[in-house]
Amino acid sequence: MSLYQRLKNVRSEEDVKDIYIKALGLKSYTKGLIDIRTDEIWFEAKDTGKYSSYAMFTQLLHYVQDGLNKGEHVPPFLAVIDTEKAALMKTADVLPFLAKKTVKWGKSASQYPKEALDEVSAHIGTHFVSFKIATHEDEFISTVKTAIKSGDIIRTQITPDNLKQVFDKWVVMIGREINGVAEENYALLFFADIMHDGTVSTHTNLPAELLHKNNAPVFSLGGKIYQLGNKEGYRQFWAIYHKPPKAEYRNYLLERRDSLIPLDERSFKGAYYTPLAVVDKAYDKLTETLGNNWQKNYIVWDMCCGVGNLEVKHSNPRNIYMSTLDEADVDVMKATKTCVAAQRFQYDYLNDDITDDGNIDYSLTNKVPEGLRKAIAEGKKILVLMNPPYAESGAGVDSGNKEGVATTKMSSAMEDFGYAKRELFAQFLARIYREIPKARVAMFSTLKYVVSPNFEQFRQIWRAQYLGGFVVHNKAFDGLKGDFPIGFLVWETKQDSIPFVTEISTEVLDKKAQAIGEKCFYNLPADQLLTKWVARPKPNKTEALPLKNAIVPATKTKDIRGTYWSDNAIACLYAHASDMQNANLTALLSSGYSSPGAFFVNPENLWQAAIVFTVRRVIKQTWLNDRDQFLQPNQPLPDEFKTDCLIWMLFHGSNLTASADDLEWNGKKWSIVNHFIPYTEAEVNAPDRFESDFMVQYLAALQAKQSECVDTSTQAASTHAASGDLSPHSSISLEAQAVLDAGRVLWQAYFAETDVRSVRDELKLNRPDVGWYQIRNALKARNASGDSVTIDFKPFETAYKTLSDKLQPQVFELGFLRV
């Protein structure tokens, strides 16, 4: 349970104290008038969130003043905490204020007069860091622990690399609260603010000036005083950042003021763009990986810049080259004065200046600026910073694919890159690899080029050293469908002496670009994938009905991948591709396969089919694991795990095995037989004989206490079980048995009544050996009609969830997925 969740259940102030003590790991403390005392921090606590941080600090400072008067030790930090928020400040920031002894305190700390609150509030406004526990409890805990360890509250320095990011935040939190000032003057007021230490300015000749009036900040510009409409944003901003900047940066920062214009996310609407909050994180990552002066040291080329929002956070636009496919984008950038000092030009990177043999010849178009050509020729430090298009060529291969979209001059020169030539972003990488072999590449894209088996040939050629990066939910971007991670990864290219990395670790950002954890992605050989684990039985010459659902024959020619059966086949398992994004398509059917990736299931490979089905289905698909690859197990599989998987598969919603007569396809009527009923006719009160008792016999063999067989069919099932390394002495686990028992009740309920004609026709209930798909849907139809006794699915659902909970960790423990 999180700190916030625990705080929701408090009954007293003592509960609040105890919860924070545990969350912060405080070891040596006392509780008294000052709610929590340690050698490092004094805390004031409340059991409600109705008091402001200012009010709580006023009460705490009363105790501090009293302690100082008595000569007591006062710790280096002060904190206030309640059920909704927390705040921390350095004691040193209030000692000069308290030393004046101008505050008229009340009779007790809790009975402070308004004058005391106002005076304290005016002083401490920019000195404390506050946190909403509902959204930033981790940051609060980390800040407190770091403060105790380091003796300081670490604020972010303002540097050349984050200048534009800091300015944009300043505009939102402070600039727009300055009454009556024009937007074009924000930069002047910004520099007046950051170049001031709270007492004096670092420069005497700035056009604007920061002053203090009535213990509140005000700005002077052109002989006029500008006041803040709301001061809370000012306090919050300067609780994040340190001012003034280091002396070594100050003059350089002032030189960059002509590049600062307020940014509005709305100005990029209508174009496919990278959200500014995500751009902020990208620039932070570049500073982390390339160093504090990367904007000064690197020439940047974005060859698919669009309207330029990926560069607007850059503080040194004279180092930027921005090219885009559409001339209209260049016009937009000129009209909006985006990166005015950068060189912006129209350029078709996947077609322009590419010769028939795949070489680069700038004289073909003469579009590339001379300065950029020279930088490339001289091997200067170049960073490719881009968010290229993700489109893949191929009709119907994927919902996002477009036929012919990747037919470019670059693709014609990529035969050695294999399947990757169909992806536009891979074409960008291939040309960069040849044109600027020593470039650093920082790119937004899907994770295909890192994890997809289709990119194995690409990775053999495009060898690069991973420097760092993050993944962010695709929903952070407008217009992207689905739920998957977009990576911003930084690479040092042309590392021919080393193979492509086998794993990368990334920071994880949510839809709002907030950090929520870490995630590893793996590049593994195709022969380790789960798709290679099962031997795929060959088809025979017996015709079979191709299905696209449990009881629906395939209708379109493109849906039909096979019209033949296989020797001893009992079903067909559709398990397309090897990644989690395709896991929700996994299904078991009673006849011929209608899609790629399917294979026949027979008695010999049933145990493997059940495992493949289960591991692909039992783990919940999320946006973050969407590209994870299913792998072959890395250790021997316990018999209990195998049987648990079998039972789990039998009762999953995508077990579409069924029986039916008179299914029409290709001018004929067909019947399908269900081999997956785990009960005898007598157990479920069936009205007639099941055509197949295979599953009953198979399960009996698993549970047998001796190898003695009752009849030929039992002996065959026992042999098949043994061929899957399932011991004939295996027993079914308690969790699996609970599912079987609960399922039996539902099967009995089905046979207790006859369904109405419309349901019988819809679900093809014209045979006794119906499948789980037909059983559960018929019972749900009865419940919905209100004409029958309601069938309670809860006992079954509870048992099934228990089995699911048991299996899920084993998927990782046995190596089918990597964390």
Side-chain angles (χ1 to χ4, degrees), residues 397 531 536 573-587 595-599 612 616 630:
V397 178
T531 51
R536 296 170 179 261
L573 180 65
Y574 176 51
H576 175 63
S578 60
D579 51 12
M580 182 66 79
Q581 66 173 319
N582 287 285
N584 63 345
L585 302 176
T586 309
S595 299
F599 64 88
V612 170
R616 287 172 62 97
F630 291 104

Side-chain angles (χ1 to χ4, degrees), residues 653-715:
S654 290
N655 170 15
L656 304 182
T657 54
S659 69
D661 290 331
D662 299 326
L663 298 178
E664 296 186 5
W665 179 75
N666 200 26
K668 294 170 56 178
K669 289 189 176 182
W670 300 75
S671 294
I672 53 176
V673 178
N674 179 18
H675 297 280
F676 287 77
I677 304 175
Y679 311 111
T680 66
E681 295 87 340
E683 284 183 277
V684 294
N685 302 318
D688 208 342
R689 181 177 182 272
F690 300 155
E691 185 168 338
S692 171
D693 69 344
F694 171 82
M695 190 54 62
V696 169
Q697 298 295 349
Y698 192 91
L699 291 173
L702 297 183
Q703 294 178 289
K705 299 301 181 182
Q706 51 190 0
S707 59
E708 181 177 326
C709 301
V710 177
D711 55 27
T712 304
S713 61
T714 303
Q715 185 176 21

Side-chain angles (χ1 to χ4, degrees), residues 37-107:
R37 289 175 180 240
T38 75
D39 289 340
E40 297 84 14
I41 307 180
W42 281 2
F43 294 84
E44 173 64 25
K46 298 293 183 186
D47 61 359
T48 174
K50 69 180 182 179
Y51 298 101
S52 72
S53 295
Y54 293 97
M56 290 192 286
F57 270 123
T58 299
Q59 185 171 340
L60 181 55
L61 288 181
H62 183 117
Y63 294 127
V64 173
Q65 182 74 76
D66 188 56
L68 291 171
N69 293 341
K70 294 176 181 178
E72 295 179 0
H73 164 74
V74 179
F77 297 100
L78 306 172
V80 294
I81 52 178
D82 64 26
T83 57
E84 300 289 338
K85 61 188 177 295
L88 180 71
M89 68 185 300
K90 293 173 65 175
T91 306
D93 289 331
V94 294
L95 289 179
F97 167 72
L98 294 177
K100 297 176 183 178
K101 296 189 177 182
T102 58
V103 180
K104 295 181 180 179
W105 304 102
K107 292 181 180 180

Side-chain angles (χ1 to χ4, degrees), residues 732-745:
I732 295 176
S733 69
L734 293 176
E735 295 85 358
Q737 188 61 53
V739 172
L740 280 171
D741 293 342
R744 185 185 299 106
V745 173

Side-chain angles (χ1 to χ4, degrees), residues 453-570:
N454 289 335
F455 276 70
E456 190 166 16
Q457 192 170 339
F458 172 88
R459 291 189 290 268
Q460 292 174 1
I461 300 171
W462 196 84
R463 296 186 178 186
Q465 180 182 357
Y466 176 66
L467 301 180
F470 62 77
V471 292
V472 59
H473 198 305
N474 72 298
K475 286 296 194 295
F477 297 75
D478 280 355
L480 289 182
K481 298 179 181 179
D483 289 282
F484 56 89
I486 295 291
F488 178 75
L489 309 182
V490 185
W491 303 90
E492 183 171 349
T493 61
K494 207 64 175 178
Q495 301 294 306
D496 293 334
S497 61
I498 61 173
F500 193 87
V501 293
T502 57
E503 94 179 62
I504 64 170
S505 178
T506 67
E507 188 179 5
V508 178
L509 310 181
D510 62 14
K511 298 175 186 178
K512 297 181 180 179
Q514 297 297 313
I516 57 174
E518 293 185 352
K519 167 74 175 172
C520 285
F521 295 90
Y522 300 92
N523 156 39
L524 298 169
D527 59 9
Q528 293 185 24
L529 299 176
L530 188 60
T531 51
K532 305 290 186 180
W533 189 50
V534 184
R536 296 170 179 261
K538 295 181 179 180
N540 56 26
K541 297 299 182 181
T542 302
E543 286 191 329
L545 171 67
L547 294 170
K548 68 176 183 181
N549 204 326
I551 50 176
V552 180
T555 53
K556 298 179 181 178
T557 303
K558 71 180 184 65
D559 290 334
I560 301 171
R561 302 286 174 167
T563 59
Y564 292 102
W565 205 222
S566 180
D567 293 348
N568 299 317
I570 54 176

Side-chain angles (χ1 to χ4, degrees), residues 340-356:
V340 174
Q343 295 204 45
R344 304 161 296 186
F345 58 103
Q346 186 280 328
Y347 196 67
D348 184 349
Y349 193 71
L350 300 183
N351 288 293
D352 284 348
D353 293 335
I354 301 175
T355 65
D356 291 340

